[in-house]
Amino acid sequence: MKNGILFLAFIVSFSATAQPFHPYQVKSGHIRYQTIRFILHTELHTGPDGKMVGKAEQIPYLSRTRDYYWDDYGNVARDMIYKVSDGSGKLLPEKQKLIERLWCDGRMYYLKNGKVAFDPDHLRDECLASEPLFKKAGWFAVLYPHTKINGKEKVAGKEGTLYKVDAFSEYVLWKGLVLRDVSYYTNGAGKRKGKQWDKKAVKVQRNIKLKPGFFTPAWYLRHYGNKSMNE
């Protein structure tokens, strides 16, 4: 009897893991993002009264790029993030891959520094745990139930909805996809003082066809078998 209960529990767990998770309204696509970071440049000079006067300015620079691909309305996805400049804003001779990730089977697999591992897909888990809200309002409402809509904003040719989460962050979403993610510095009173980063889509392609096996990269197959996500 005990073995029967364990077997039933396994079946239930497997079914929960295997059920589709569709966070987007577009079946498949590709988004290229650019991450802009900011260097604080400060100048000091002597004013007319002989006192030192300081002037601070945030200088933007391209820090990273990200290529994000998805299929089956977001049930499976893969991305690659590259470093394109150093901390001073100087462009590197060649971009450097920082991480590659694959979302499938209820997990987030990743290749980083030559090593392969996985974590639970926390976004999927939270949405399936709050399924009524997820089906009604989408994944963003599950993660940020008290966020405020702050108008519309066009990003990469797509008109998205601007959400102000709090003083630190805001997002632009289009059909469930993040087109922009902005993080702010704040002062002691909680007022925004400048941007920490601005991750923004610069290219959006929808309903694209990817090569067979795209969502089963070689590094994934070597470590986790040859189950095809394209069948």
Side-chain angles (χ1 to χ4, degrees):
M1 181 67 178
K2 184 177 180 180
N3 289 338
I5 293 173
L6 290 174
F7 179 75
L8 179 60
F10 171 79
I11 293 296
V12 172
S13 175
F14 178 81
S15 299
T17 301
Q19 65 179 302
F21 169 58
H22 294 155
Y24 310 143
Q25 299 170 35
V26 180
K27 182 180 184 298
S28 63
H30 163 237
I31 298 178
R32 176 162 295 161
Y33 296 91
Q34 290 184 346
T35 297
I36 303 298
R37 290 187 178 272
F38 300 84
I39 298 173
L40 184 62
H41 178 70
T42 304
E43 290 184 354
L44 294 174
H45 65 274
T46 304
D49 57 359
K51 295 182 179 179
M52 294 299 294
V53 179
K55 179 183 178 182
E57 180 184 10
Q58 280 194 314
I59 300 176
Y61 70 96
L62 178 61
S63 172
R64 297 181 180 184
T65 63
R66 178 190 182 208
D67 284 297
Y68 177 72
Y69 302 84
W70 76 93
D71 199 1
D72 192 22
Y73 301 95
N75 193 45
V76 60
R78 181 182 172 190
D79 77 351
M80 305 89 175
I81 298 176
Y82 299 90
K83 180 179 179 180
V84 297
S85 63
D86 62 20
S88 68
K90 183 180 179 180
L91 288 175
L92 302 176
E94 294 184 3
K95 64 181 182 181
Q96 301 175 359
K97 183 185 286 187
L98 296 176
I99 191 170
E100 182 173 335
R101 298 177 293 186
L102 172 70
W103 290 263
C104 66
D105 298 332
R107 290 176 174 176
M108 187 272 285
Y109 301 89
Y110 58 93
L111 171 65
K112 185 176 182 181
N113 298 325
K115 297 181 180 179
V116 177
F118 70 86
D119 287 322
D121 185 344
H122 298 292
L123 174 61
R124 176 189 177 116
D125 291 346
E126 289 190 43
C127 288
L128 294 182
S130 304
E131 194 167 3
L133 178 59
F134 169 59
K135 287 185 174 181
K136 179 182 178 181
W139 68 267
F140 197 76
V142 174
L143 262 61
Y144 305 104
H146 304 297
T147 191
K148 296 180 180 179
I149 294 178
N150 205 26
K152 298 286 184 178
E153 182 174 317
K154 183 168 284 189
V155 180
K158 307 296 183 184
E159 187 175 79
T161 302
L162 175 61
Y163 295 91
K164 181 179 179 181
V165 176
D166 50 33
F168 301 98
S169 58
E170 61 188 27
Y171 295 83
V172 176
L173 266 70
W174 169 76
K175 296 185 181 298
L177 290 145
V178 174
L179 295 185
R180 194 174 186 189
D181 167 9
V182 187
S183 177
Y184 294 90
Y185 292 109
T186 63
N187 61 16
K191 292 185 177 181
R192 292 177 176 177
K193 297 295 290 183
K195 292 180 181 178
Q196 183 177 6
W197 72 65
D198 188 343
K199 301 176 183 178
K200 189 175 181 180
V202 294
K203 180 180 180 181
V204 179
Q205 297 172 286
R206 55 184 297 174
N207 297 325
I208 63 173
K209 289 186 177 181
L210 297 167
K211 294 180 180 179
F214 181 82
F215 292 107
T216 50
W219 58 267
Y220 166 79
L221 293 179
R222 283 197 301 269
H223 289 80
Y224 300 107
N226 59 0
K227 178 181 177 182
S228 175
M229 295 299 298
N230 302 290
E231 296 176 353

Short mmCIF file of all heavy atoms in Angstrom, two decimals, residues 39-60:
data_model
loop_
_atom_site.label_atom_id
_atom_site.label_comp_id
_atom_site.label_asym_id
_atom_site.label_seq_id
_atom_site.Cartn_x
_atom_site.Cartn_y
_atom_site.Cartn_z
N ILE A 39 27.88 55.47 -15.32
CA ILE A 39 29.04 55.85 -14.52
C ILE A 39 28.79 57.25 -13.95
O ILE A 39 28.37 58.16 -14.69
CB ILE A 39 30.32 55.88 -15.38
CG1 ILE A 39 30.61 54.49 -15.93
CG2 ILE A 39 31.50 56.39 -14.58
CD1 ILE A 39 31.75 54.46 -16.92
N LEU A 40 29.01 57.40 -12.66
CA LEU A 40 28.83 58.71 -12.03
C LEU A 40 30.10 59.53 -12.20
O LEU A 40 31.16 59.18 -11.69
CB LEU A 40 28.50 58.54 -10.54
CG LEU A 40 28.19 59.84 -9.79
CD1 LEU A 40 26.95 60.52 -10.38
CD2 LEU A 40 28.00 59.56 -8.30
N HIS A 41 29.99 60.61 -12.95
CA HIS A 41 31.13 61.49 -13.21
C HIS A 41 30.94 62.78 -12.40
O HIS A 41 29.91 63.45 -12.52
CB HIS A 41 31.22 61.81 -14.70
CG HIS A 41 32.34 62.74 -15.05
ND1 HIS A 41 33.66 62.39 -14.97
CD2 HIS A 41 32.32 64.04 -15.48
CE1 HIS A 41 34.41 63.40 -15.34
NE2 HIS A 41 33.62 64.42 -15.64
N THR A 42 31.92 63.09 -11.58
CA THR A 42 31.83 64.27 -10.71
C THR A 42 32.91 65.28 -11.07
O THR A 42 34.08 64.91 -11.26
CB THR A 42 31.97 63.87 -9.23
OG1 THR A 42 30.98 62.88 -8.92
CG2 THR A 42 31.79 65.07 -8.33
N GLU A 43 32.52 66.52 -11.16
CA GLU A 43 33.48 67.61 -11.42
C GLU A 43 33.43 68.62 -10.29
O GLU A 43 32.36 68.95 -9.78
CB GLU A 43 33.15 68.31 -12.75
CG GLU A 43 33.42 67.47 -13.99
CD GLU A 43 33.17 68.26 -15.25
OE1 GLU A 43 32.67 69.41 -15.15
OE2 GLU A 43 33.46 67.73 -16.34
N LEU A 44 34.59 69.12 -9.92
CA LEU A 44 34.69 70.17 -8.90
C LEU A 44 35.33 71.41 -9.52
O LEU A 44 36.30 71.31 -10.27
CB LEU A 44 35.51 69.69 -7.71
CG LEU A 44 34.92 68.54 -6.86
CD1 LEU A 44 35.93 68.09 -5.81
CD2 LEU A 44 33.63 68.99 -6.18
N HIS A 45 34.75 72.55 -9.21
CA HIS A 45 35.37 73.79 -9.66
C HIS A 45 35.09 74.88 -8.62
O HIS A 45 34.22 74.75 -7.77
CB HIS A 45 34.84 74.21 -11.04
CG HIS A 45 33.38 74.55 -11.05
ND1 HIS A 45 32.40 73.59 -11.21
CD2 HIS A 45 32.73 75.74 -10.90
CE1 HIS A 45 31.21 74.18 -11.18
NE2 HIS A 45 31.38 75.48 -10.99
N THR A 46 35.82 75.94 -8.75
CA THR A 46 35.68 77.06 -7.81
C THR A 46 34.66 78.05 -8.33
O THR A 46 34.74 78.52 -9.47
CB THR A 46 37.03 77.77 -7.61
OG1 THR A 46 38.01 76.82 -7.19
CG2 THR A 46 36.91 78.87 -6.55
N GLY A 47 33.68 78.37 -7.47
CA GLY A 47 32.63 79.30 -7.84
C GLY A 47 33.08 80.75 -7.73
O GLY A 47 34.19 81.04 -7.25
N PRO A 48 32.24 81.68 -8.15
CA PRO A 48 32.57 83.12 -8.09
C PRO A 48 32.88 83.59 -6.67
O PRO A 48 33.63 84.56 -6.49
CB PRO A 48 31.30 83.79 -8.62
CG PRO A 48 30.63 82.74 -9.46
CD PRO A 48 30.92 81.45 -8.78
N ASP A 49 32.30 82.89 -5.70
CA ASP A 49 32.55 83.30 -4.31
C ASP A 49 33.76 82.61 -3.71
O ASP A 49 34.04 82.76 -2.52
CB ASP A 49 31.31 83.00 -3.46
CG ASP A 49 30.91 81.53 -3.51
OD1 ASP A 49 31.59 80.74 -4.22
OD2 ASP A 49 29.92 81.15 -2.86
N GLY A 50 34.50 81.86 -4.53
CA GLY A 50 35.70 81.19 -4.05
C GLY A 50 35.45 79.83 -3.42
O GLY A 50 36.41 79.15 -3.02
N LYS A 51 34.20 79.42 -3.33
CA LYS A 51 33.89 78.12 -2.74
C LYS A 51 33.88 77.03 -3.80
O LYS A 51 33.60 77.29 -4.97
CB LYS A 51 32.53 78.17 -2.04
CG LYS A 51 32.48 79.10 -0.84
CD LYS A 51 31.11 79.06 -0.18
CE LYS A 51 31.06 79.97 1.04
NZ LYS A 51 29.72 79.96 1.70
N MET A 52 34.20 75.80 -3.37
CA MET A 52 34.21 74.66 -4.27
C MET A 52 32.78 74.23 -4.58
O MET A 52 31.94 74.11 -3.68
CB MET A 52 34.97 73.49 -3.67
CG MET A 52 36.47 73.75 -3.48
SD MET A 52 37.32 74.08 -5.05
CE MET A 52 37.15 72.51 -5.86
N VAL A 53 32.50 74.03 -5.84
CA VAL A 53 31.17 73.61 -6.29
C VAL A 53 31.31 72.28 -7.02
O VAL A 53 32.21 72.12 -7.88
CB VAL A 53 30.54 74.66 -7.23
CG1 VAL A 53 29.16 74.18 -7.70
CG2 VAL A 53 30.43 76.00 -6.53
N GLY A 54 30.47 71.34 -6.68
CA GLY A 54 30.52 70.02 -7.30
C GLY A 54 29.36 69.82 -8.28
O GLY A 54 28.24 70.30 -8.05
N LYS A 55 29.65 69.12 -9.37
CA LYS A 55 28.62 68.79 -10.35
C LYS A 55 28.72 67.30 -10.67
O LYS A 55 29.78 66.80 -11.06
CB LYS A 55 28.80 69.62 -11.62
CG LYS A 55 27.77 69.30 -12.70
CD LYS A 55 28.03 70.10 -13.97
CE LYS A 55 27.03 69.74 -15.05
NZ LYS A 55 27.30 70.49 -16.32
N ALA A 56 27.61 66.57 -10.49
CA ALA A 56 27.59 65.13 -10.75
C ALA A 56 26.73 64.84 -11.97
O ALA A 56 25.66 65.45 -12.15
CB ALA A 56 27.06 64.38 -9.54
N GLU A 57 27.20 63.92 -12.80
CA GLU A 57 26.49 63.56 -14.02
C GLU A 57 26.58 62.05 -14.23
O GLU A 57 27.64 61.44 -14.05
CB GLU A 57 27.09 64.29 -15.22
CG GLU A 57 26.42 63.98 -16.53
CD GLU A 57 27.11 64.66 -17.70
OE1 GLU A 57 28.23 65.20 -17.49
OE2 GLU A 57 26.57 64.64 -18.82
N GLN A 58 25.45 61.43 -14.62
CA GLN A 58 25.45 60.01 -14.94
C GLN A 58 25.72 59.83 -16.43
O GLN A 58 24.98 60.33 -17.27
CB GLN A 58 24.10 59.37 -14.58
CG GLN A 58 23.96 59.03 -13.10
CD GLN A 58 22.79 58.10 -12.87
OE1 GLN A 58 21.70 58.29 -13.39
NE2 GLN A 58 23.02 57.06 -12.09
N ILE A 59 26.80 59.11 -16.74
CA ILE A 59 27.17 58.89 -18.13
C ILE A 59 26.81 57.44 -18.51
O ILE A 59 27.31 56.49 -17.90
CB ILE A 59 28.67 59.13 -18.35
CG1 ILE A 59 29.01 60.58 -17.97
CG2 ILE A 59 29.06 58.84 -19.79
CD1 ILE A 59 30.47 60.89 -18.05
N PRO A 60 25.93 57.25 -19.49
CA PRO A 60 25.51 55.90 -19.85
C PRO A 60 26.55 55.17 -20.71
O PRO A 60 27.29 55.79 -21.47
CB PRO A 60 24.22 56.14 -20.64
CG PRO A 60 24.41 57.49 -21.26
CD PRO A 60 25.22 58.28 -20.27
#
